[in-house]
Amino acid sequence: EAGVAQSPRYKIIEKRQSVAFWCNPISGHATLYWYQQILGQGPKLLIQFQNNGVVDDSQLPKDRFSAERLKGVDSTLKIQPAKLEDSAVYLCASSLAPEETQYFGPGTRLLVL
Amino acid sequence: AQRVTQPEKLLSVFKGAPVELKCNYSYSGSPELFWYVQYSRQRLQLLLRHISRESIKGFTADLNKGETSFHLKKPFAQEEDSAMYYCALKKAGNTPLVFGKGTRLSVIA
């Protein structure tokens, strides 16, 4: 089966610009996650969707980050405006259900200058 | 709040030597523990989870609730084991994974 797809793979922007990342989960996976992985750290959950509803966004900086999964399939994560500290790899993962194994995408590496 | 600690950033061993990647956690309840692995230029993937009690690629990990540890072990390291390893914890129910900072394992020929 095809894995989790993410685009773009790399993005370089200047601070205060906006950026958007896209994720296509494995077909049939109801649960979708966005993680932020800063260099030297483990992934940190930003937001979790169950179908098109938000389950957990407690660690999402809502003043600048937003995410949606309108039709319960693809998802978009947006940062507006970006800060230097947002430089990280943004990982998308999906699972059949919250208690099932998470499958990760290749990530989007963001550099904010 | 729950926390996962991997005390070693880098672990180098010779091929054929035993490997132990340490993971300690802080959580007062009954957690689910996982080891994830990321090989060079590959995606993060699940290696094993404590509830399945499996041996994957020769690796095992035992949950020690008394010591709040979930160390990953392999008796004889192979070059292809070189990768980044992350320990992760999940509380029961619909709760997020909490990852440690990871340990880079380098197996030297």
Side-chain angles (χ1 to χ4, degrees):
Chain A
E1 63 181 9
V4 176
Q6 290 187 247
S7 69
R9 294 295 310 276
Y10 305 93
K11 190 74 177 178
I12 301 175
I13 61 172
E14 295 187 348
K15 61 183 179 184
R16 292 188 288 272
Q17 287 187 321
S18 61
V19 65
F21 312 129
W22 173 82
C23 173
N24 182 230
I26 293 172
S27 178
H29 281 198
T31 314
L32 185 147
Y33 312 80
W34 282 102
Y35 290 87
Q36 180 192 58
Q37 186 173 19
I38 292 171
L39 188 65
Q41 307 282 323
K44 183 186 82 170
L45 181 72
L46 290 175
I47 189 167
Q48 176 183 340
F49 290 95
Q50 183 66 22
N51 297 308
N52 61 351
V54 175
V55 173
D56 184 348
D57 63 356
S58 57
Q59 298 191 88
L60 187 74
K62 298 180 188 64
D63 57 333
R64 297 184 300 105
F65 286 65
S66 63
E68 58 184 16
R69 193 184 184 200
L70 293 174
K71 296 183 179 178
V73 181
D74 294 5
S75 178
T76 303
L77 176 69
K78 297 180 181 177
I79 308 175
Q80 182 178 10
K83 292 186 175 182
L84 297 178
E85 58 261 34
D86 298 332
S87 295
V89 176
Y90 290 84
L91 296 167
C92 179
S94 70
S95 62
L96 280 168
E99 65 274 15
E100 298 294 330
T101 297
Q102 294 183 31
Y103 294 87
F104 284 81
T108 296
R109 189 175 297 274
L110 173 68
L111 179 61
V112 182
L113 302 176
Chain B
Q2 61 271 30
R3 184 184 299 170
V4 176
T5 302
Q6 293 180 252
E8 303 134 331
K9 289 181 87 170
L10 173 65
L11 183 63
S12 296
V13 300
F14 286 104
K15 178 181 172 182
V19 174
E20 183 179 56
L21 297 164
K22 291 185 167 50
C23 173
N24 290 91
Y25 66 90
S26 61
Y27 176 56
S28 56
S30 293
E32 292 184 60
L33 273 296
F34 306 80
W35 277 99
Y36 279 79
V37 62
Q38 188 166 24
Y39 301 102
S40 179
R41 298 189 193 87
Q42 294 190 29
R43 303 169 183 217
L44 190 62
Q45 59 186 287
L46 179 65
L47 180 63
L48 53 81
R49 56 199 302 176
H50 89 272
I51 59 172
S52 60
R53 303 184 69 81
E54 298 175 293
S55 173
I56 306 293
K57 299 184 179 183
F59 284 98
T60 59
D62 290 318
L63 178 60
N64 186 325
K65 291 187 177 180
E67 295 183 359
T68 59
S69 68
F70 188 57
H71 302 328
L72 184 68
K73 300 177 183 179
K74 185 170 183 176
F76 308 104
Q78 303 298 314
E79 289 179 77
E80 55 265 30
D81 296 329
S82 295
M84 196 73 188
Y85 291 81
Y86 295 93
C87 183
L89 174 152
K90 190 175 185 294
K91 297 191 293 185
N94 188 7
T95 57
L97 278 172
V98 175
F99 285 86
K101 293 185 177 182
T103 297
R104 182 170 297 282
L105 175 64
S106 177
V107 181
I108 306 163

